[in-house]
Amino acid sequence: MVGPVRPEFVLFGSSIVQLSFGDEGWGAILANLYARKADIILRGYSGWNSRRALEVLDKVFPKDADVQPSLVIVYFGGNDSVRPNPSGLGTHVPLQEYKENMRKIAIHLKSLSKKTRLIFLSSPPINEEQIRSTLSKQLGDLGRTNESCRIYSEACLEVCGEMNVEAIDLWSALQKRSDWLNVCFKDGIHLSSEGSKIVAKEILKVLREADWEPSLYWKSMETEFSEDSPYDPTGADAKTPTNVSNWIFNDSFQWD
């Protein structure tokens, strides 16, 4: 373990999570904004549904761990929503079981500590035509529709409402862009940089507005080793030290 100890934010989910650190993904955006403030930990598993998440829940989030996460962001649902395979194989999980699985995940995570906060992400929309042109050769008919994603998205939001868990309606958030079908995906399912920006903005909005103590919003959190120092880079006059500990470099997007 390295120090100083920082708050831990864990991203737990399927491929939308696993891929979030690449190609200007939403996980990478959070890691950039929270540099020197919190450690963003990736626990993403492509192809997984809520059943598999339950199988490893105690291993990923052991209740007896010395340090518990300050925040867990959870996403499962897209793989659960696919049509049932006649063979019984595949990722489909019936709707009522999916809701119960998400409820069990929330109960377990809430039990980790009084300071562990949760944000659940609902299933985002998909571009069915793009899926057929990019993924069908490798994976065949995925049996996933935008309508099924809506149904599972609403189910996730329903569970979160019942359990007083912060939730983000990604199915609606992405579709607020008039050109969402053309810009939000790399292959019809997985998010492009534009799609990830929407996810990151929605997460930051929750973190900014949540009545949590302490606040987990990036602008409200302490920056590690941020004190002024004579070893700071000098400014334009080549004489005055300039503290750059809170600068966000190489980012043209303005984050709230």
Side-chain angles (χ1 to χ4, degrees), residues 139-174:
L139 299 174
D141 180 8
L142 292 180
R144 186 182 302 196
T145 67
N146 203 33
E147 176 62 11
S148 67
C149 289
R150 179 191 66 80
I151 293 170
Y152 278 69
S153 172
E154 291 181 355
C156 176
L157 298 175
E158 179 183 338
V159 170
C160 291
E162 294 170 356
M163 301 192 66
N164 194 29
V165 170
E166 293 286 350
I168 296 173
D169 180 0
L170 289 186
W171 194 85
S172 298
L174 267 67

PDB file of all heavy atoms in Angstrom, residues 139-174:
ATOM      1  N   LEU A 139     -20.267 -11.704 -33.018  1.00  0.00           N
ATOM      2  CA  LEU A 139     -21.143 -12.153 -31.938  1.00  0.00           C
ATOM      3  C   LEU A 139     -22.530 -12.560 -32.396  1.00  0.00           C
ATOM      4  O   LEU A 139     -23.352 -12.991 -31.576  1.00  0.00           O
ATOM      5  CB  LEU A 139     -21.266 -11.029 -30.889  1.00  0.00           C
ATOM      6  CG  LEU A 139     -19.951 -10.612 -30.218  1.00  0.00           C
ATOM      7  CD1 LEU A 139     -20.176  -9.408 -29.315  1.00  0.00           C
ATOM      8  CD2 LEU A 139     -19.355 -11.767 -29.424  1.00  0.00           C
ATOM      9  N   GLY A 140     -22.800 -12.462 -33.704  1.00  0.00           N
ATOM     10  CA  GLY A 140     -24.119 -12.824 -34.195  1.00  0.00           C
ATOM     11  C   GLY A 140     -25.178 -11.839 -33.731  1.00  0.00           C
ATOM     12  O   GLY A 140     -24.888 -10.684 -33.413  1.00  0.00           O
ATOM     13  N   ASP A 141     -26.416 -12.308 -33.680  1.00  0.00           N
ATOM     14  CA  ASP A 141     -27.517 -11.472 -33.226  1.00  0.00           C
ATOM     15  C   ASP A 141     -27.459 -11.365 -31.701  1.00  0.00           C
ATOM     16  O   ASP A 141     -27.696 -12.338 -30.987  1.00  0.00           O
ATOM     17  CB  ASP A 141     -28.853 -12.080 -33.661  1.00  0.00           C
ATOM     18  CG  ASP A 141     -30.041 -11.240 -33.215  1.00  0.00           C
ATOM     19  OD1 ASP A 141     -29.822 -10.118 -32.709  1.00  0.00           O
ATOM     20  OD2 ASP A 141     -31.180 -11.710 -33.370  1.00  0.00           O
ATOM     21  N   LEU A 142     -27.131 -10.179 -31.216  1.00  0.00           N
ATOM     22  CA  LEU A 142     -26.985 -10.008 -29.772  1.00  0.00           C
ATOM     23  C   LEU A 142     -28.328 -10.028 -29.045  1.00  0.00           C
ATOM     24  O   LEU A 142     -28.363 -10.194 -27.826  1.00  0.00           O
ATOM     25  CB  LEU A 142     -26.269  -8.684 -29.475  1.00  0.00           C
ATOM     26  CG  LEU A 142     -24.798  -8.601 -29.894  1.00  0.00           C
ATOM     27  CD1 LEU A 142     -24.222  -7.242 -29.530  1.00  0.00           C
ATOM     28  CD2 LEU A 142     -23.993  -9.702 -29.232  1.00  0.00           C
ATOM     29  N   GLY A 143     -29.404  -9.843 -29.798  1.00  0.00           N
ATOM     30  CA  GLY A 143     -30.712  -9.866 -29.152  1.00  0.00           C
ATOM     31  C   GLY A 143     -30.942  -8.707 -28.208  1.00  0.00           C
ATOM     32  O   GLY A 143     -31.711  -8.813 -27.257  1.00  0.00           O
ATOM     33  N   ARG A 144     -30.274  -7.600 -28.463  1.00  0.00           N
ATOM     34  CA  ARG A 144     -30.418  -6.426 -27.605  1.00  0.00           C
ATOM     35  C   ARG A 144     -31.107  -5.323 -28.394  1.00  0.00           C
ATOM     36  O   ARG A 144     -30.715  -5.019 -29.516  1.00  0.00           O
ATOM     37  CB  ARG A 144     -29.061  -5.942 -27.110  1.00  0.00           C
ATOM     38  CG  ARG A 144     -29.144  -4.809 -26.097  1.00  0.00           C
ATOM     39  CD  ARG A 144     -27.783  -4.309 -25.654  1.00  0.00           C
ATOM     40  NE  ARG A 144     -26.953  -5.341 -25.059  1.00  0.00           N
ATOM     41  CZ  ARG A 144     -25.864  -5.090 -24.328  1.00  0.00           C
ATOM     42  NH1 ARG A 144     -25.502  -3.840 -24.095  1.00  0.00           N
ATOM     43  NH2 ARG A 144     -25.152  -6.073 -23.834  1.00  0.00           N
ATOM     44  N   THR A 145     -32.118  -4.732 -27.815  1.00  0.00           N
ATOM     45  CA  THR A 145     -32.846  -3.652 -28.474  1.00  0.00           C
ATOM     46  C   THR A 145     -32.850  -2.414 -27.582  1.00  0.00           C
ATOM     47  O   THR A 145     -32.669  -2.511 -26.365  1.00  0.00           O
ATOM     48  CB  THR A 145     -34.306  -4.042 -28.774  1.00  0.00           C
ATOM     49  OG1 THR A 145     -35.012  -4.200 -27.529  1.00  0.00           O
ATOM     50  CG2 THR A 145     -34.369  -5.339 -29.574  1.00  0.00           C
ATOM     51  N   ASN A 146     -33.077  -1.284 -28.222  1.00  0.00           N
ATOM     52  CA  ASN A 146     -33.154  -0.057 -27.438  1.00  0.00           C
ATOM     53  C   ASN A 146     -34.346  -0.091 -26.486  1.00  0.00           C
ATOM     54  O   ASN A 146     -34.294   0.443 -25.377  1.00  0.00           O
ATOM     55  CB  ASN A 146     -33.251   1.153 -28.371  1.00  0.00           C
ATOM     56  CG  ASN A 146     -32.792   2.428 -27.690  1.00  0.00           C
ATOM     57  OD1 ASN A 146     -31.899   2.405 -26.848  1.00  0.00           O
ATOM     58  ND2 ASN A 146     -33.396   3.545 -28.049  1.00  0.00           N
ATOM     59  N   GLU A 147     -35.412  -0.743 -26.897  1.00  0.00           N
ATOM     60  CA  GLU A 147     -36.586  -0.845 -26.049  1.00  0.00           C
ATOM     61  C   GLU A 147     -36.308  -1.696 -24.808  1.00  0.00           C
ATOM     62  O   GLU A 147     -36.729  -1.353 -23.701  1.00  0.00           O
ATOM     63  CB  GLU A 147     -37.765  -1.433 -26.827  1.00  0.00           C
ATOM     64  CG  GLU A 147     -39.022  -1.684 -26.012  1.00  0.00           C
ATOM     65  CD  GLU A 147     -39.630  -0.418 -25.411  1.00  0.00           C
ATOM     66  OE1 GLU A 147     -39.214   0.694 -25.790  1.00  0.00           O
ATOM     67  OE2 GLU A 147     -40.519  -0.545 -24.545  1.00  0.00           O
ATOM     68  N   SER A 148     -35.581  -2.794 -24.981  1.00  0.00           N
ATOM     69  CA  SER A 148     -35.256  -3.616 -23.804  1.00  0.00           C
ATOM     70  C   SER A 148     -34.326  -2.866 -22.862  1.00  0.00           C
ATOM     71  O   SER A 148     -34.436  -2.999 -21.627  1.00  0.00           O
ATOM     72  CB  SER A 148     -34.632  -4.951 -24.225  1.00  0.00           C
ATOM     73  OG  SER A 148     -33.354  -4.772 -24.810  1.00  0.00           O
ATOM     74  N   CYS A 149     -33.437  -2.054 -23.426  1.00  0.00           N
ATOM     75  CA  CYS A 149     -32.573  -1.237 -22.573  1.00  0.00           C
ATOM     76  C   CYS A 149     -33.398  -0.236 -21.766  1.00  0.00           C
ATOM     77  O   CYS A 149     -33.109   0.007 -20.588  1.00  0.00           O
ATOM     78  CB  CYS A 149     -31.537  -0.502 -23.420  1.00  0.00           C
ATOM     79  SG  CYS A 149     -30.250  -1.573 -24.121  1.00  0.00           S
ATOM     80  N   ARG A 150     -34.424   0.329 -22.388  1.00  0.00           N
ATOM     81  CA  ARG A 150     -35.296   1.257 -21.663  1.00  0.00           C
ATOM     82  C   ARG A 150     -35.980   0.557 -20.489  1.00  0.00           C
ATOM     83  O   ARG A 150     -36.043   1.103 -19.373  1.00  0.00           O
ATOM     84  CB  ARG A 150     -36.361   1.832 -22.600  1.00  0.00           C
ATOM     85  CG  ARG A 150     -37.325   2.804 -21.901  1.00  0.00           C
ATOM     86  CD  ARG A 150     -38.511   3.146 -22.787  1.00  0.00           C
ATOM     87  NE  ARG A 150     -39.369   1.992 -23.039  1.00  0.00           N
ATOM     88  CZ  ARG A 150     -40.275   1.535 -22.180  1.00  0.00           C
ATOM     89  NH1 ARG A 150     -40.435   2.108 -20.990  1.00  0.00           N
ATOM     90  NH2 ARG A 150     -41.019   0.476 -22.497  1.00  0.00           N
ATOM     91  N   ILE A 151     -36.485  -0.635 -20.726  1.00  0.00           N
ATOM     92  CA  ILE A 151     -37.198  -1.368 -19.683  1.00  0.00           C
ATOM     93  C   ILE A 151     -36.274  -1.671 -18.502  1.00  0.00           C
ATOM     94  O   ILE A 151     -36.650  -1.481 -17.335  1.00  0.00           O
ATOM     95  CB  ILE A 151     -37.791  -2.666 -20.260  1.00  0.00           C
ATOM     96  CG1 ILE A 151     -38.904  -2.326 -21.263  1.00  0.00           C
ATOM     97  CG2 ILE A 151     -38.312  -3.567 -19.148  1.00  0.00           C
ATOM     98  CD1 ILE A 151     -39.389  -3.513 -22.058  1.00  0.00           C
ATOM     99  N   TYR A 152     -35.050  -2.107 -18.783  1.00  0.00           N
ATOM    100  CA  TYR A 152     -34.121  -2.432 -17.702  1.00  0.00           C
ATOM    101  C   TYR A 152     -33.568  -1.164 -17.048  1.00  0.00           C
ATOM    102  O   TYR A 152     -33.264  -1.157 -15.855  1.00  0.00           O
ATOM    103  CB  TYR A 152     -33.002  -3.338 -18.217  1.00  0.00           C
ATOM    104  CG  TYR A 152     -33.428  -4.788 -18.265  1.00  0.00           C
ATOM    105  CD1 TYR A 152     -34.379  -5.235 -19.187  1.00  0.00           C
ATOM    106  CD2 TYR A 152     -32.906  -5.727 -17.379  1.00  0.00           C
ATOM    107  CE1 TYR A 152     -34.793  -6.552 -19.233  1.00  0.00           C
ATOM    108  CE2 TYR A 152     -33.307  -7.053 -17.402  1.00  0.00           C
ATOM    109  CZ  TYR A 152     -34.257  -7.454 -18.332  1.00  0.00           C
ATOM    110  OH  TYR A 152     -34.668  -8.772 -18.349  1.00  0.00           O
ATOM    111  N   SER A 153     -33.462  -0.106 -17.816  1.00  0.00           N
ATOM    112  CA  SER A 153     -33.074   1.180 -17.241  1.00  0.00           C
ATOM    113  C   SER A 153     -34.105   1.630 -16.219  1.00  0.00           C
ATOM    114  O   SER A 153     -33.765   2.033 -15.089  1.00  0.00           O
ATOM    115  CB  SER A 153     -32.938   2.237 -18.350  1.00  0.00           C
ATOM    116  OG  SER A 153     -32.752   3.524 -17.812  1.00  0.00           O
ATOM    117  N   GLU A 154     -35.376   1.573 -16.582  1.00  0.00           N
ATOM    118  CA  GLU A 154     -36.444   1.982 -15.671  1.00  0.00           C
ATOM    119  C   GLU A 154     -36.497   1.080 -14.440  1.00  0.00           C
ATOM    120  O   GLU A 154     -36.790   1.550 -13.328  1.00  0.00           O
ATOM    121  CB  GLU A 154     -37.780   1.982 -16.404  1.00  0.00           C
ATOM    122  CG  GLU A 154     -37.886   3.083 -17.459  1.00  0.00           C
ATOM    123  CD  GLU A 154     -39.228   3.091 -18.167  1.00  0.00           C
ATOM    124  OE1 GLU A 154     -40.049   2.177 -17.907  1.00  0.00           O
ATOM    125  OE2 GLU A 154     -39.462   3.999 -18.983  1.00  0.00           O
ATOM    126  N   ALA A 155     -36.203  -0.200 -14.621  1.00  0.00           N
ATOM    127  CA  ALA A 155     -36.192  -1.124 -13.482  1.00  0.00           C
ATOM    128  C   ALA A 155     -35.091  -0.750 -12.495  1.00  0.00           C
ATOM    129  O   ALA A 155     -35.300  -0.776 -11.270  1.00  0.00           O
ATOM    130  CB  ALA A 155     -36.001  -2.553 -13.970  1.00  0.00           C
ATOM    131  N   CYS A 156     -33.918  -0.406 -13.005  1.00  0.00           N
ATOM    132  CA  CYS A 156     -32.808   0.017 -12.137  1.00  0.00           C
ATOM    133  C   CYS A 156     -33.194   1.275 -11.370  1.00  0.00           C
ATOM    134  O   CYS A 156     -32.974   1.369 -10.149  1.00  0.00           O
ATOM    135  CB  CYS A 156     -31.561   0.258 -12.985  1.00  0.00           C
ATOM    136  SG  CYS A 156     -30.137   0.885 -12.061  1.00  0.00           S
ATOM    137  N   LEU A 157     -33.771   2.242 -12.062  1.00  0.00           N
ATOM    138  CA  LEU A 157     -34.168   3.491 -11.414  1.00  0.00           C
ATOM    139  C   LEU A 157     -35.240   3.245 -10.348  1.00  0.00           C
ATOM    140  O   LEU A 157     -35.238   3.883  -9.293  1.00  0.00           O
ATOM    141  CB  LEU A 157     -34.684   4.476 -12.466  1.00  0.00           C
ATOM    142  CG  LEU A 157     -33.675   4.906 -13.537  1.00  0.00           C
ATOM    143  CD1 LEU A 157     -34.363   5.781 -14.575  1.00  0.00           C
ATOM    144  CD2 LEU A 157     -32.490   5.635 -12.921  1.00  0.00           C
ATOM    145  N   GLU A 158     -36.133   2.305 -10.616  1.00  0.00           N
ATOM    146  CA  GLU A 158     -37.185   1.966  -9.653  1.00  0.00           C
ATOM    147  C   GLU A 158     -36.583   1.406  -8.367  1.00  0.00           C
ATOM    148  O   GLU A 158     -36.964   1.807  -7.259  1.00  0.00           O
ATOM    149  CB  GLU A 158     -38.154   0.965 -10.269  1.00  0.00           C
ATOM    150  CG  GLU A 158     -39.271   0.535  -9.342  1.00  0.00           C
ATOM    151  CD  GLU A 158     -40.171  -0.525  -9.952  1.00  0.00           C
ATOM    152  OE1 GLU A 158     -40.205  -0.643 -11.203  1.00  0.00           O
ATOM    153  OE2 GLU A 158     -40.826  -1.268  -9.186  1.00  0.00           O
ATOM    154  N   VAL A 159     -35.647   0.471  -8.514  1.00  0.00           N
ATOM    155  CA  VAL A 159     -34.997  -0.112  -7.341  1.00  0.00           C
ATOM    156  C   VAL A 159     -34.268   0.968  -6.542  1.00  0.00           C
ATOM    157  O   VAL A 159     -34.360   1.019  -5.309  1.00  0.00           O
ATOM    158  CB  VAL A 159     -34.020  -1.222  -7.765  1.00  0.00           C
ATOM    159  CG1 VAL A 159     -33.158  -1.669  -6.579  1.00  0.00           C
ATOM    160  CG2 VAL A 159     -34.784  -2.409  -8.329  1.00  0.00           C
ATOM    161  N   CYS A 160     -33.551   1.829  -7.241  1.00  0.00           N
ATOM    162  CA  CYS A 160     -32.795   2.880  -6.555  1.00  0.00           C
ATOM    163  C   CYS A 160     -33.727   3.841  -5.818  1.00  0.00           C
ATOM    164  O   CYS A 160     -33.415   4.305  -4.719  1.00  0.00           O
ATOM    165  CB  CYS A 160     -31.922   3.635  -7.556  1.00  0.00           C
ATOM    166  SG  CYS A 160     -30.554   2.643  -8.199  1.00  0.00           S
ATOM    167  N   GLY A 161     -34.865   4.142  -6.434  1.00  0.00           N
ATOM    168  CA  GLY A 161     -35.830   4.997  -5.766  1.00  0.00           C
ATOM    169  C   GLY A 161     -36.352   4.374  -4.490  1.00  0.00           C
ATOM    170  O   GLY A 161     -36.522   5.057  -3.469  1.00  0.00           O
ATOM    171  N   GLU A 162     -36.607   3.084  -4.524  1.00  0.00           N
ATOM    172  CA  GLU A 162     -37.099   2.378  -3.341  1.00  0.00           C
ATOM    173  C   GLU A 162     -36.061   2.340  -2.223  1.00  0.00           C
ATOM    174  O   GLU A 162     -36.413   2.340  -1.045  1.00  0.00           O
ATOM    175  CB  GLU A 162     -37.489   0.944  -3.719  1.00  0.00           C
ATOM    176  CG  GLU A 162     -38.683   0.844  -4.658  1.00  0.00           C
ATOM    177  CD  GLU A 162     -38.871  -0.572  -5.185  1.00  0.00           C
ATOM    178  OE1 GLU A 162     -38.019  -1.436  -4.859  1.00  0.00           O
ATOM    179  OE2 GLU A 162     -39.838  -0.798  -5.916  1.00  0.00           O
ATOM    180  N   MET A 163     -34.771   2.317  -2.611  1.00  0.00           N
ATOM    181  CA  MET A 163     -33.702   2.122  -1.628  1.00  0.00           C
ATOM    182  C   MET A 163     -32.956   3.411  -1.291  1.00  0.00           C
ATOM    183  O   MET A 163     -31.947   3.381  -0.590  1.00  0.00           O
ATOM    184  CB  MET A 163     -32.721   1.062  -2.142  1.00  0.00           C
ATOM    185  CG  MET A 163     -33.361  -0.273  -2.419  1.00  0.00           C
ATOM    186  SD  MET A 163     -32.145  -1.560  -2.668  1.00  0.00           S
ATOM    187  CE  MET A 163     -31.401  -1.659  -1.047  1.00  0.00           C
ATOM    188  N   ASN A 164     -33.430   4.523  -1.811  1.00  0.00           N
ATOM    189  CA  ASN A 164     -32.792   5.810  -1.558  1.00  0.00           C
ATOM    190  C   ASN A 164     -31.323   5.802  -1.991  1.00  0.00           C
ATOM    191  O   ASN A 164     -30.434   6.246  -1.267  1.00  0.00           O
ATOM    192  CB  ASN A 164     -32.902   6.189  -0.073  1.00  0.00           C
ATOM    193  CG  ASN A 164     -32.570   7.649   0.179  1.00  0.00           C
ATOM    194  OD1 ASN A 164     -32.770   8.501  -0.687  1.00  0.00           O
ATOM    195  ND2 ASN A 164     -32.047   7.940   1.353  1.00  0.00           N
ATOM    196  N   VAL A 165     -31.090   5.275  -3.194  1.00  0.00           N
ATOM    197  CA  VAL A 165     -29.756   5.238  -3.796  1.00  0.00           C
ATOM    198  C   VAL A 165     -29.722   6.225  -4.957  1.00  0.00           C
ATOM    199  O   VAL A 165     -30.652   6.253  -5.778  1.00  0.00           O
ATOM    200  CB  VAL A 165     -29.414   3.813  -4.296  1.00  0.00           C
ATOM    201  CG1 VAL A 165     -28.143   3.820  -5.143  1.00  0.00           C
ATOM    202  CG2 VAL A 165     -29.273   2.855  -3.117  1.00  0.00           C
ATOM    203  N   GLU A 166     -28.683   7.020  -5.020  1.00  0.00           N
ATOM    204  CA  GLU A 166     -28.534   7.953  -6.139  1.00  0.00           C
ATOM    205  C   GLU A 166     -28.428   7.163  -7.446  1.00  0.00           C
ATOM    206  O   GLU A 166     -27.678   6.182  -7.534  1.00  0.00           O
ATOM    207  CB  GLU A 166     -27.296   8.816  -5.968  1.00  0.00           C
ATOM    208  CG  GLU A 166     -27.362   9.786  -4.803  1.00  0.00           C
ATOM    209  CD  GLU A 166     -28.276  10.963  -5.080  1.00  0.00           C
ATOM    210  OE1 GLU A 166     -28.720  11.130  -6.236  1.00  0.00           O
ATOM    211  OE2 GLU A 166     -28.541  11.735  -4.133  1.00  0.00           O
ATOM    212  N   ALA A 167     -29.171   7.591  -8.458  1.00  0.00           N
ATOM    213  CA  ALA A 167     -29.177   6.884  -9.739  1.00  0.00           C
ATOM    214  C   ALA A 167     -29.156   7.885 -10.881  1.00  0.00           C
ATOM    215  O   ALA A 167     -29.686   8.996 -10.767  1.00  0.00           O
ATOM    216  CB  ALA A 167     -30.403   5.982  -9.850  1.00  0.00           C
ATOM    217  N   ILE A 168     -28.546   7.483 -11.978  1.00  0.00           N
ATOM    218  CA  ILE A 168     -28.459   8.320 -13.173  1.00  0.00           C
ATOM    219  C   ILE A 168     -29.143   7.607 -14.318  1.00  0.00           C
ATOM    220  O   ILE A 168     -28.822   6.458 -14.637  1.00  0.00           O
ATOM    221  CB  ILE A 168     -26.984   8.614 -13.534  1.00  0.00           C
ATOM    222  CG1 ILE A 168     -26.337   9.438 -12.418  1.00  0.00           C
ATOM    223  CG2 ILE A 168     -26.899   9.347 -14.869  1.00  0.00           C
ATOM    224  CD1 ILE A 168     -24.846   9.639 -12.601  1.00  0.00           C
ATOM    225  N   ASP A 169     -30.094   8.269 -14.926  1.00  0.00           N
ATOM    226  CA  ASP A 169     -30.865   7.732 -16.043  1.00  0.00           C
ATOM    227  C   ASP A 169     -30.084   7.948 -17.333  1.00  0.00           C
ATOM    228  O   ASP A 169     -30.291   8.930 -18.046  1.00  0.00           O
ATOM    229  CB  ASP A 169     -32.232   8.434 -16.096  1.00  0.00           C
ATOM    230  CG  ASP A 169     -33.112   7.928 -17.234  1.00  0.00           C
ATOM    231  OD1 ASP A 169     -32.680   7.039 -17.995  1.00  0.00           O
ATOM    232  OD2 ASP A 169     -34.242   8.449 -17.364  1.00  0.00           O
ATOM    233  N   LEU A 170     -29.178   7.009 -17.627  1.00  0.00           N
ATOM    234  CA  LEU A 170     -28.357   7.155 -18.824  1.00  0.00           C
ATOM    235  C   LEU A 170     -29.169   6.979 -20.099  1.00  0.00           C
ATOM    236  O   LEU A 170     -28.840   7.571 -21.133  1.00  0.00           O
ATOM    237  CB  LEU A 170     -27.203   6.147 -18.806  1.00  0.00           C
ATOM    238  CG  LEU A 170     -26.089   6.397 -17.790  1.00  0.00           C
ATOM    239  CD1 LEU A 170     -24.956   5.398 -18.013  1.00  0.00           C
ATOM    240  CD2 LEU A 170     -25.562   7.822 -17.886  1.00  0.00           C
ATOM    241  N   TRP A 171     -30.223   6.177 -20.040  1.00  0.00           N
ATOM    242  CA  TRP A 171     -31.032   5.958 -21.239  1.00  0.00           C
ATOM    243  C   TRP A 171     -31.596   7.286 -21.737  1.00  0.00           C
ATOM    244  O   TRP A 171     -31.621   7.546 -22.937  1.00  0.00           O
ATOM    245  CB  TRP A 171     -32.159   4.961 -20.949  1.00  0.00           C
ATOM    246  CG  TRP A 171     -32.820   4.439 -22.190  1.00  0.00           C
ATOM    247  CD1 TRP A 171     -32.400   3.382 -22.955  1.00  0.00           C
ATOM    248  CD2 TRP A 171     -34.011   4.943 -22.817  1.00  0.00           C
ATOM    249  NE1 TRP A 171     -33.260   3.201 -24.020  1.00  0.00           N
ATOM    250  CE2 TRP A 171     -34.249   4.150 -23.953  1.00  0.00           C
ATOM    251  CE3 TRP A 171     -34.888   5.983 -22.505  1.00  0.00           C
ATOM    252  CZ2 TRP A 171     -35.336   4.357 -24.801  1.00  0.00           C
ATOM    253  CZ3 TRP A 171     -35.967   6.207 -23.355  1.00  0.00           C
ATOM    254  CH2 TRP A 171     -36.183   5.395 -24.484  1.00  0.00           C
ATOM    255  N   SER A 172     -32.005   8.131 -20.829  1.00  0.00           N
ATOM    256  CA  SER A 172     -32.541   9.442 -21.215  1.00  0.00           C
ATOM    257  C   SER A 172     -31.441  10.468 -21.443  1.00  0.00           C
ATOM    258  O   SER A 172     -31.532  11.294 -22.358  1.00  0.00           O
ATOM    259  CB  SER A 172     -33.496   9.963 -20.129  1.00  0.00           C
ATOM    260  OG  SER A 172     -34.602   9.108 -19.970  1.00  0.00           O
ATOM    261  N   ALA A 173     -30.385  10.418 -20.630  1.00  0.00           N
ATOM    262  CA  ALA A 173     -29.348  11.449 -20.691  1.00  0.00           C
ATOM    263  C   ALA A 173     -28.662  11.489 -22.046  1.00  0.00           C
ATOM    264  O   ALA A 173     -28.446  12.568 -22.619  1.00  0.00           O
ATOM    265  CB  ALA A 173     -28.320  11.217 -19.585  1.00  0.00           C
ATOM    266  N   LEU A 174     -28.314  10.318 -22.587  1.00  0.00           N
ATOM    267  CA  LEU A 174     -27.630  10.302 -23.877  1.00  0.00           C
ATOM    268  C   LEU A 174     -28.543  10.778 -24.995  1.00  0.00           C
ATOM    269  O   LEU A 174     -28.098  11.462 -25.928  1.00  0.00           O
ATOM    270  CB  LEU A 174     -27.100   8.902 -24.189  1.00  0.00           C
ATOM    271  CG  LEU A 174     -25.650   8.628 -23.763  1.00  0.00           C
ATOM    272  CD1 LEU A 174     -25.526   8.630 -22.243  1.00  0.00           C
ATOM    273  CD2 LEU A 174     -25.151   7.306 -24.338  1.00  0.00           C
TER     274      LEU A 174
END
